[in-house]
Amino acid sequence: MWFRKMKIIAEAAIGACEKYNETEIRFHILDPLIRHLGYPETDDVYLNLEEKLDYPYVHVGRRSKKDLPIGFPDYRAGIKGARGSFIVEAKAGPVPLTSKEVEQAHSYAAHAQVGANYFVLCNGSVLQVYETLSGPSSVPLVDVPINEINQRIYQIENILSPHNLAKNCRVSHDLGLKLADGL
């Protein structure tokens, strides 16, 4: 064969990730994936780690700083100065991805400080990509078992690479003179 199949995630990491804690999932699985996608290799993309998000809910009566819930998405990446971003939430290997984990990641992606188009969840057995506007009860756009991630990396690239993110999240508005209905 004239080309070598590219391994994004080391086979040893794939074999052990079901036992990894959250930090090990980020280091062995998500960090290489994020770098492979192209973040933050160029000047037109950004990558924020453990960014603090405040949730300013309305309280009745006196409140203190400790009353304000906060969140910290593990990664936030996107296109500088344009639409197109996503957050990634990592979970420890043995933690199942239930509706609770999906709701947490969705709350980060839909947060007013973020407004991400997509959110990603990853534990020791699966990586899932969701569209934020579809809500937390939607099915994932991509649902890749970790042991297939090297073979199915194209599914993740097709949504989250900087080029495809910019292409998929483009919004255009017709501000021209209205000639007639529909024109």
Side-chain angles (χ1 to χ4, degrees):
M1 191 175 269
W2 61 274
F3 67 93
R4 281 182 32 195
K5 199 168 204 163
M6 182 186 288
K7 300 260 187 213
I8 309 308
I9 312 299
E11 291 299 325
I14 289 172
C17 66
E18 287 187 358
K19 297 176 184 158
Y20 284 163
N21 63 35
E22 183 177 323
T23 301
E24 291 168 321
I25 291 289
R26 289 195 309 244
F27 180 79
H28 292 289
I29 306 297
L30 293 171
D31 287 353
L33 175 65
I34 296 290
R35 277 192 220 88
H36 173 77
L37 289 172
Y39 299 94
E41 294 298 320
T42 63
D43 292 335
D44 59 343
V45 299
Y46 64 87
L47 176 65
N48 299 332
L49 305 174
E50 291 285 330
E51 183 178 23
K52 179 183 174 189
L53 304 177
D54 291 316
Y55 289 83
Y57 296 119
V58 176
H59 286 76
V60 177
R62 210 179 330 194
R63 70 177 182 184
S64 68
K65 285 271 192 208
K66 69 178 183 163
D67 293 334
L68 293 177
I70 56 174
F72 296 90
D74 295 314
Y75 303 81
R76 180 165 69 116
I79 311 299
K80 286 183 184 174
R83 292 179 189 257
S85 65
F86 63 95
I87 68 100
V88 180
E89 183 61 21
K91 296 297 176 189
V95 173
L97 299 183
T98 66
S99 61
K100 179 182 167 191
E101 285 73 28
V102 175
E103 287 172 6
Q104 176 190 11
H106 179 265
S107 77
Y108 295 158
H111 190 281
Q113 287 174 243
V114 177
N117 303 86
Y118 303 99
F119 62 96
V120 179
L121 274 166
C122 182
N123 65 3
S125 58
V126 69
L127 182 135
Q128 299 173 332
V129 179
Y130 293 83
E131 186 175 38
T132 304
L133 286 178
S134 295
S137 59
S138 65
V139 298
L141 298 171
V142 173
D143 192 354
V144 179
I146 296 298
N147 63 356
E148 297 177 15
I149 202 162
N150 288 320
Q151 295 80 25
R152 294 175 56 190
I153 190 68
Y154 64 91
Q155 291 180 330
I156 301 162
E157 292 170 332
N158 287 346
I159 297 173
L160 301 179
S161 72
H163 171 75
N164 288 321
L165 192 62
K167 181 180 75 173
N168 294 336
C169 300
R170 182 169 297 160
V171 175
S172 62
H173 303 280
D174 181 0
L175 302 177
L177 180 63
K178 181 178 178 181
L179 302 174
D181 285 338
L183 300 174

